[in-house]
Amino acid sequence: MSTLVDAVVGHLELLHSQRKLIAQMYVSGHVVRDEQNAKALSQLQQIRAIRLNETLKDSYRLSPTVSRLLNEASYRSRNYGVSADFGKQLSRLDKLLEDFSEAYFDGRGEDVMLLQDEIDLTLFEISEEMKDFLLHVRAAAENNFGNVRTYREKEKQNLHYLEQLERIVEALSQFDDAALLESLGSSEREALEALYQGYILDRLSSWRSTTADITRVLKLYLHKLRVVEPRARRLRALQMYLLRHPEYEVRDPDEYPEIPDWAYQYEPMKLRLDLDFGRQEIRDSLADVAKNIDRSVAVPTKERRPGTPVTEAPPKAALIKGSPLVVVSQRLLNEAAHSAAPMSAARYFALAPETQVLDQESCMMCFLALLDKQVKANAQIVRRLQIELVSINDDDRLSGNVIIADVTVCKR
């Protein structure tokens, strides 16, 4: 262990001693070899921190690993700089799990510890890469892809990351695959199951929520790009034309032989009359209108004297019909209050003439809402009933939803 620590310390000290040359190479892209930096370049090349630049004679550039490290340190983003390909990591994880089980059953304790450390590092890398990917795409989406200028480039990056997010959704479905979780449940992999739970399973819900939010933002921005960009291009062309031809004047509407198509793009402005009774011509026009109004025959009102009875028929009683769902639900509860055998609400709605033509899932949702309202109100009919909810996913312990398929009611 001390030898490995000394090797790492020596590597970092060499990088630190040549920090100015590394920074110059990172900013400029490459450095040309001369008498002053020849020794330093040779040392950096020996530890694989730099590579020979084939496009320029006697020049060197940073290795991809060091470049990625400095990109994270300087918050520098690259176009299409991240990938959502987690299939290779999952394939590698499967092989490591198989090797771990073989070493465990063969009694090779040292190999078991090494493979456990390797699996721990692999799970850590998957978790961090997922977090970095989502953070990078969220920042790019919220900044409207500010690292590129044209709308065409923004649209291409948007489509690229939407495709990457689809692969993320597939990877998330593989992370909680039943076969993988079952393989981790074996006795020899108990420690690995705890690692997988901490690095992956505990963060799945957060990753899914973030992926859905970013996808929604990207699709909304893509719609704006495809709708707004053509109109913006036309506006810029009009602006350029007006700058080049300041003498341009809009034609009078009467000069058009017919109404052009562009005039139908928007609804015309609605006019509202504002009568000014102080103007004599308006008063004269209103007087002419009033003269042409037909006179209606006045109907005399019927006077009633106090104390005189009026012989009028009583008003007919109005029959207010309730909603079919409410009527059938109430009838079901009343019948169940006198029945010792459990009654199925789904079957009752399917056979009732008022609701058999309706969507049965909607009927069940409305019945559950009505039942919940009466339970909260402590209604008398509910106190006389025994209510049982029938769900269809009791065995699915990973599901966060309880799917109700039926409700049985009977006399308490």
Side-chain angles (χ1 to χ4, degrees):
M1 181 63 70
S2 60
T3 303
L4 180 60
V5 171
D6 294 339
V8 174
V9 171
H11 185 91
L12 294 176
E13 287 180 351
L14 179 57
L15 292 177
H16 179 265
S17 63
Q18 304 300 335
R19 58 189 180 276
K20 293 184 179 180
L21 182 61
I22 294 175
Q24 179 184 357
M25 202 176 306
Y26 177 72
V27 174
S28 303
H30 66 274
V31 167
V32 179
R33 186 185 186 96
D34 54 26
E35 296 181 357
Q36 297 179 355
N37 61 16
K39 182 178 179 181
L41 290 175
S42 298
Q43 293 175 345
L44 292 175
Q45 189 177 13
Q46 289 177 0
I47 63 173
R48 301 183 60 80
I50 63 174
R51 300 287 190 274
L52 184 63
N53 188 12
E54 302 291 346
T55 60
L56 186 62
K57 184 178 180 181
D58 292 336
S59 65
Y60 295 84
R61 60 191 308 168
L62 294 177
S63 66
T65 304
V66 178
S67 296
R68 285 194 296 268
L69 176 63
L70 297 180
N71 285 339
E72 293 186 5
S74 60
Y75 299 99
R76 182 179 181 181
S77 61
R78 299 175 58 190
N79 296 346
Y80 317 107
V82 292
S83 175
D85 187 9
F86 290 92
K88 295 181 179 179
Q89 290 92 326
L90 289 174
S91 177
R92 180 170 178 267
L93 179 62
D94 290 338
K95 296 178 180 178
L96 289 173
L97 291 175
E98 293 178 2
D99 293 344
F100 177 88
S101 297
E102 291 180 2
Y104 179 86
F105 290 116
D106 292 343
R108 294 182 278 117
E110 185 177 354
D111 292 342
V112 168
M113 297 303 299
L114 292 175
L115 287 169
Q116 183 173 341
D117 293 340
E118 189 72 19
I119 292 173
D120 177 80
L121 180 59
T122 302
L123 293 175
F124 174 75
E125 290 176 352
I126 292 176
S127 177
E128 290 300 310
E129 287 179 9
M130 178 68 73
K131 183 176 67 174
D132 292 344
F133 173 82
L134 295 176
L135 180 63
H136 176 87
V137 179
R138 178 186 286 275
E142 292 179 352
N143 294 329
N144 295 335
F145 302 100
N147 57 325
V148 294
R149 298 182 179 181
T150 65
Y151 284 108
R152 179 58 180 168
E153 292 175 315
K154 293 178 183 293
E155 182 179 358
K156 288 177 62 179
Q157 288 213 4
N158 196 311
L159 292 173
H160 167 75
Y161 287 122
L162 279 175
E163 181 183 355
Q164 296 291 310
L165 287 172
E166 291 180 359
R167 301 172 67 179
I168 285 290
V169 173
E170 295 178 1
L172 293 178
S173 64
Q174 296 176 5
F175 285 152
D176 57 356
D177 183 68
L180 177 59
L181 298 180
E182 184 179 358
S183 67
L184 288 170
S186 56
S187 58
E188 77 277 6
R189 297 179 179 179
E190 184 177 355
L192 304 182
E193 184 181 15
L195 292 175
Y196 194 81
Q197 180 73 32
Y199 282 122
I200 304 298
L201 295 182
D202 290 344
R203 306 180 184 185
L204 270 183
S205 59
S206 175
W207 291 343
R208 285 194 173 101
S209 176
T210 304
T211 301
D213 292 342
I214 297 175
T215 302
R216 178 184 56 81
V217 173
L218 288 179
K219 289 184 177 180
L220 180 60
Y221 185 62
L222 182 62
H223 171 74
K224 291 181 179 179
L225 284 176
R226 291 177 172 176
V227 173
V228 176
E229 192 272 336
R231 298 183 180 180
R233 188 187 304 117
R234 295 177 62 185
L235 287 175
R236 289 194 299 269
L238 176 61
Q239 179 189 18
M240 184 63 66
Y241 181 83
L242 294 177
L243 290 175
R244 293 178 178 177
H245 303 83
E247 71 282 357
Y248 174 79
E249 294 182 359
V250 182
R251 294 170 57 183
D252 190 87
D254 297 334
E255 298 180 5
Y256 289 96
E258 58 184 6
I259 299 178
D261 294 337
W262 56 263
Y264 293 97
Q265 294 292 327
Y266 297 97
E267 185 179 357
M269 182 176 58
K270 296 181 179 180
L271 302 179
R272 182 176 62 86
L273 294 179
D274 189 8
L275 301 179
D276 185 4
F277 294 101
R279 297 171 58 182
Q280 183 62 37
E281 60 271 19
I282 293 180
R283 294 203 302 271
D284 294 341
S285 300
L286 294 177
D288 295 337
V289 172
K291 291 178 182 178
N292 296 328
I293 297 176
D294 296 336
R295 295 183 179 182
S296 59
V297 179
V299 179
T301 59
K302 190 175 182 179
E303 297 182 359
R304 294 181 179 179
R305 290 179 297 174
T308 303
V310 178
T311 57
E312 294 181 354
K316 296 181 179 181
L319 179 60
I320 301 177
K321 295 183 179 181
S323 169
L325 289 171
V326 177
V327 173
V328 176
S329 300
Q330 196 64 37
R331 190 165 69 223
L332 169 62
L333 297 179
N334 292 332
E335 293 181 10
H338 300 86
S339 173
M343 299 180 61
S344 170
R347 186 173 183 274
Y348 197 89
F349 281 114
L351 297 178
E354 296 92 341
T355 57
Q356 63 182 355
V357 297
L358 302 179
D359 180 57
Q360 296 304 310
E361 291 186 3
S362 301
C363 292
M364 186 57 60
M365 291 177 61
C366 295
F367 178 67
L368 287 172
L370 175 64
L371 199 60
D372 181 68
K373 184 177 181 181
Q374 295 198 8
V375 169
K376 290 181 179 179
N378 197 19
Q380 183 179 2
I381 185 65
V382 175
R383 295 199 300 267
R384 298 161 53 193
L385 296 174
Q386 180 176 350
I387 304 170
E388 297 290 340
L389 302 179
V390 181
S391 62
I392 62 176
N393 62 336
D394 289 337
D395 299 334
D396 190 1
R397 293 177 296 176
L398 298 179
S399 175
N401 297 324
V402 178
I403 303 176
I404 304 300
D406 195 3
V407 179
T408 60
V409 289
C410 64
K411 182 172 64 174
R412 184 181 295 274

